[in-house]
Each structure stands twice: as structure tokens, then as C-alpha cells.
Amino acid sequence: MLEVREASGVERLVRLDGAITTLGRDAACTIRIDSPYVSRRHARIEVGEGGPTLIDLGSHNGCLLNGVRVEGSAALRAGDVIGIADATLRCLAEAALSATTNTLEARPSGSDVLRVDAALHEVWLGERSPVRRLSAQEFLLLGYLFEHRDRVCTRQELGDAIWGAHNWDANMLHRLVHRLKDKVEPLASAESPRYVQTVPQIGYRLTP
């Protein structure tokens, strides 16, 4: 899995599911990096028996691996940092990948499915609403997680979406998540939350 951070500060997670992952400015690339300094097809990552390999596709500005320009190809290891123009891609450690898998195992039953209606500003837990109404920021956080429920949302993107870039810190987000959990999961334990899943060192994901 790669943690992609663009020049704007927006972060996202991309899992290396296929044998080949393409990186570049072209819309057809697996990981699209919107920058004039990135070639349309800049590089690719191939996953083989020996692990992933980064291959430069003859890009104009090249690729950096841990600060060193890649000549042709280079093997990737957990913790490596890839530099492509003004974007960085960090290879996550195996421990983080295991934590992600473990925290996403629990799935709610049909009677407890969580639904969010942004237009009506309403939340349902099965057929009922939360006992305590969500604040505007709590609903914004839940709505963002619900909209992107197919993936893990990083702390950076959540903070920027709620408060704006450079207007928040980790404690603000932590307290907001805690308040949201307290309202939508009043009976859930901290070790096994039902809806809002914490992915250590990365961010949060919703399992509606």
C-alpha cells in the first residue's frame, strides 16, 4: 500500500492490488498525479515474487527513491519514500497493513446499517436516529467518511476537509472523532467500534 501526498497537502491511500500500477498525469493512470512537472506516464510499479519494483518510464524529471534518482528500476521496501516531482509516495510498513486488515473485519448486521442523507442532514442507525443529534462538524466528519466509505481516509484529508488546510491539529481531529463515536456507537467498546474504524498511524474508515 502507498500513502500518496500531493503538493496541495492532500493525502490518500492506494493499495497495490494489481500486478502493475501506473503513475502519471494521464487520467488513465492508476495513480494520477496532477502536476505540470509529472509526465503523462511517469513510472510504474510492478509486483512480482520478489516484491514491488519501481520502474521509471523515461520521464523528463525522473523519480527519486529515498532522495536518490532511480536509474531504470529499483526494488521497493516498507518505509521507502518515492519522490515524483512535487508529490511523495510512502510505502507503508507491513505492521500498518496488518492493522488496517484487523480493524476492518467487523461488519454490522442488516438491521444496524448506517445511512447518511447529506441533503436532509439526517443519520439512521438501522431504523432509528442517534439519541443525540450530531453537531455540524460531527455530521461533516461522518458525511465525508460515508462518501468515501470504500477506502481509508487519512487524518490529513479529514482535517483539511473539515477545518481547511493549516487550520487544525491532530488533537482537534481526535476529539471530534471521539465525540462522533460517542453518539453513533454508545454501546460499542473502544476496542471494537461498530462503524468508525481507526486505522493506526493512518486515519479512519467507515463500515456502514
Side-chain angles (χ1 to χ4, degrees):
M1 182 179 285
L2 296 175
E3 181 183 62
V4 182
R5 182 184 180 91
E6 299 195 37
S8 62
V10 173
E11 296 180 354
R12 65 186 189 275
L13 294 176
V14 179
R15 185 177 291 276
L16 301 177
D17 290 327
I20 297 177
T21 299
T22 53
L23 304 90
R25 186 162 41 88
D26 195 288
C29 289
T30 311
I31 300 177
R32 183 174 182 271
I33 303 173
D34 188 13
S35 170
Y37 305 108
V38 175
S39 300
R40 295 182 64 84
R41 291 180 60 83
H42 200 102
R44 70 173 182 264
I45 296 175
E46 295 184 358
V47 179
E49 293 183 359
T53 300
L54 174 66
I55 301 172
D56 186 277
L57 298 178
S59 61
H60 180 71
N61 292 315
C63 302
L64 298 180
L65 180 60
N66 301 321
V68 179
R69 182 156 182 155
V70 174
E71 299 295 341
S73 64
L76 295 175
R77 301 288 184 267
D80 282 347
V81 176
I82 303 167
I84 295 182
D86 45 13
T88 58
L89 302 87
R90 184 166 63 91
C91 303
L92 296 183
E94 290 301 319
L97 296 181
S98 298
T100 302
T101 302
N102 292 336
T103 57
L104 301 180
E105 287 179 353
R107 296 285 178 175
S109 62
S111 62
D112 290 333
V113 169
L114 184 147
R115 293 173 292 143
V116 178
D117 190 318
L120 297 177
H121 201 82
E122 292 184 352
V123 178
W124 292 273
L125 305 175
E127 298 303 320
R128 63 181 177 84
S129 298
V131 175
R132 289 178 291 163
R133 187 172 180 83
L134 271 59
S135 69
Q137 284 189 347
E138 291 161 357
F139 186 85
L140 186 59
L141 171 61
L142 182 61
Y144 192 95
L145 289 170
F146 187 81
E147 181 181 356
H148 302 88
R149 58 191 179 276
D150 60 327
R151 63 177 177 84
V152 177
C153 296
T154 66
R155 289 171 295 195
Q156 183 73 47
E157 67 174 297
L158 287 171
D160 288 352
I162 296 167
W163 292 285
H166 313 301
N167 293 323
W168 63 281
D169 59 40
N171 286 331
M172 290 170 61
L173 180 59
H174 175 77
R175 290 194 297 268
L176 181 59
V177 171
H178 179 77
R179 294 197 300 271
L180 175 62
K181 285 185 176 183
D182 191 47
K183 290 184 178 180
V184 302
E185 308 189 81
L187 301 180
S189 68
E191 291 76 19
S192 56
R194 197 167 183 82
Y195 302 111
V196 183
Q197 308 284 342
T198 299
V199 182
Q201 303 178 16
I202 301 173
Y204 303 92
R205 180 174 180 177
L206 193 70
T207 55

